[in-house]
Amino acid sequence: MFTARELMNAAEFVHGYVAPTPAIRWPLIERATGLSIYVKHENHTRLGAFKVRGGLTFCRYLSRSTQIINGIISATRGNHGQSLAYAASVFGLRATIIVPHGNSREKNASMRALGADVIEHGDDFQDAADFARQTAVEDDLVMVPPFHPELVRGVASYGMELFGDVEDIDRIYVPIGMGSGICSLITARDALGLKTEIIGVVATGADAVHQSFLKGEICETASANTFADGVACRKPDPAAFEIIKNGAADIIAVSDDEIMQAMRLYFSATHNLAEGAGAAALAGVIADRKRAIGKKNAVILSGANIDRDIYAEILQGSSPDEPEI
């Protein structure tokens, strides 16, 4: 999709607003799992998630257009919307964000604090996205899709950082929502001419990408039933799926219980907060232990934005097969 030079130029721009995040080997995580794991801490960005990188490059792309822009609109479960709210403020754009009913209160509050108009509509992300597209036409707004080359270009800056910081990574596990995270890693890997395997991770209750990958064609599920809202998608984006189908080594599904275990392990072993989608990659490498053992693995801790009451309840939970530190 992009050359290494194009990705490096985008990374230089992104780093004017978002400092590079660390990739850390945590001894207690490695002791609990028996695996070599580098954690890429996208929870350390200024908005607590990787998405801010893509929002910046997309809004820069719009700002260079000769078209008169009344504002942007998009649908989100939270991190994408926070990214666009922040980036729109940087470039002087009005942002309208559509979220489904029951969306994270704290993510909604953050988007409003960043200057966005937040509207609740529908039962899930797909309902919100349909309404956003309709509103874009009615109000003459630019519809920002969940997947776009300019979003990938910005998000790929975290892949460029990771590949620069850690040599010869065998496998990277990354959560999949609408695809910008995994596609940016595939794009960065290919631009750099590397052989690292990219493994996507979804929730068993929202496994449309997993089903699609197995069948080689897009599948839509009736629901996206997982508390991990960042991966709660019923249908993969067609453009993203083409990149995933051709560039991912595998897609694996983990249960909500396994994701919660990974969230607790992150807290106990590193005192880092991980939202559900943020912990999915760690849950994935643990579930995939037989193939990951003896390899140099990396996981993307993609975000830390979860409502306090939900996180407190998860921390109080436990499971008999939970890794112990």
Side-chain angles (χ1 to χ4, degrees), residues 43 56 62 76 80 120 186 196 214 310:
N43 60 318
L56 285 163
L62 285 184
T76 188
H80 175 67
E120 295 185 54
I186 292 169
T196 303
L214 292 176
I310 297 173

Side-chain angles (χ1 to χ4, degrees), residues 75-93:
T76 188
R77 291 302 306 266
N79 290 334
H80 175 67
Q82 289 180 92
S83 160
L84 293 176
Y86 170 73
S89 71
V90 169
F91 287 95
L93 300 171

Side-chain angles (χ1 to χ4, degrees), residues 11-325:
E12 290 173 2
F13 163 71
V14 169
H15 291 157
Y17 300 89
V18 180
T21 59
I24 301 174
R25 290 181 69 181
W26 294 95
L28 288 178
I29 285 183
E30 295 195 338
R31 187 171 77 178
T33 63
L35 299 169
S36 170
I37 302 174
Y38 289 81
V39 178
K40 177 63 170 166
H41 280 282
E42 288 299 282
N43 60 318
H44 289 184
T45 71
R46 65 185 301 153
L47 297 184
F50 76 100
K51 290 282 191 178
V52 62
R53 300 169 180 269
L56 285 163
T57 49
F58 187 88
C59 286
R60 180 181 66 165
Y61 157 76
L62 285 184
S63 73
R64 292 173 171 177
S65 170
T66 57
Q67 175 186 359
I68 296 175
I69 299 170
N70 293 326
I72 62 173
I73 187 169
S74 194
T76 188
R77 291 302 306 266
N79 290 334
H80 175 67
Q82 289 180 92
S83 160
L84 293 176
Y86 170 73
S89 71
V90 169
F91 287 95
L93 300 171
R94 170 191 165 204
T96 301
I97 305 298
I98 313 300
V99 301
H101 291 293
N103 198 57
S104 162
R105 296 189 308 277
E106 292 173 20
K107 287 181 181 178
N108 290 352
S110 175
M111 287 183 280
R112 291 189 174 102
L114 289 165
D117 296 324
V118 178
I119 299 171
E120 295 185 54
H121 182 90
D123 295 327
D124 59 19
F125 171 78
Q126 265 71 27
D127 287 346
D130 290 342
F131 183 73
R133 283 189 287 268
Q134 175 186 334
T135 306
V137 174
E138 293 172 352
D139 295 352
D140 194 23
L141 302 173
V142 175
M143 175 66 191
V144 184
F147 184 85
H148 186 278
E150 286 298 328
L151 296 175
V152 173
R153 190 206 295 252
V155 172
S157 57
Y158 85 68
M160 301 296 280
E161 294 167 15
L162 178 58
F163 288 124
D165 290 342
V166 184
E167 294 183 354
D168 302 321
I169 305 173
D170 293 311
R171 303 164 72 85
I172 301 177
Y173 293 77
V174 56
I176 303 179
M178 291 306 293
S180 63
I182 186 170
C183 290
S184 71
L185 282 174
I186 292 169
T187 298
R189 177 201 63 190
D190 293 350
L192 295 171
L194 301 174
K195 301 297 184 182
T196 303
E197 292 183 322
I198 311 296
I199 296 92
V201 184
V202 301
T204 53
D207 66 342
V209 178
H210 182 228
Q211 290 187 32
S212 300
F213 187 79
L214 292 176
K215 293 183 179 179
E217 60 185 31
I218 290 178
C219 300
E220 182 174 0
T221 56
S223 63
N225 186 19
T226 175
F227 83 98
D229 52 10
V231 296
C233 302
R234 288 194 275 118
K235 182 180 180 181
D237 178 89
F241 179 65
E242 282 302 308
I243 297 172
I244 294 168
K245 182 173 68 173
N246 295 316
D250 200 3
I251 309 296
I252 60 178
V254 293
S255 68
D256 277 9
D257 186 58
E258 289 173 308
I259 293 173
M260 292 179 192
Q261 290 180 34
M263 293 170 70
R264 290 190 286 268
L265 179 57
Y266 268 132
F267 185 82
S268 298
T270 76
H271 292 157
N272 271 266
L273 189 157
E275 62 183 271
L282 180 59
V285 72
I286 294 171
D288 202 31
R289 186 177 183 278
K290 289 183 179 179
R291 292 193 299 175
I293 196 164
K295 304 287 188 180
K296 183 185 284 189
N297 304 289
V299 298
I300 309 301
L301 201 175
S302 60
N305 297 315
I306 184 171
D307 286 359
R308 182 177 64 177
D309 56 344
I310 297 173
Y311 188 58
E313 183 177 347
I314 289 170
L315 287 183
Q316 290 298 317
S318 63
S319 178
D321 57 349
E322 197 150 336
E324 295 184 2
I325 62 173

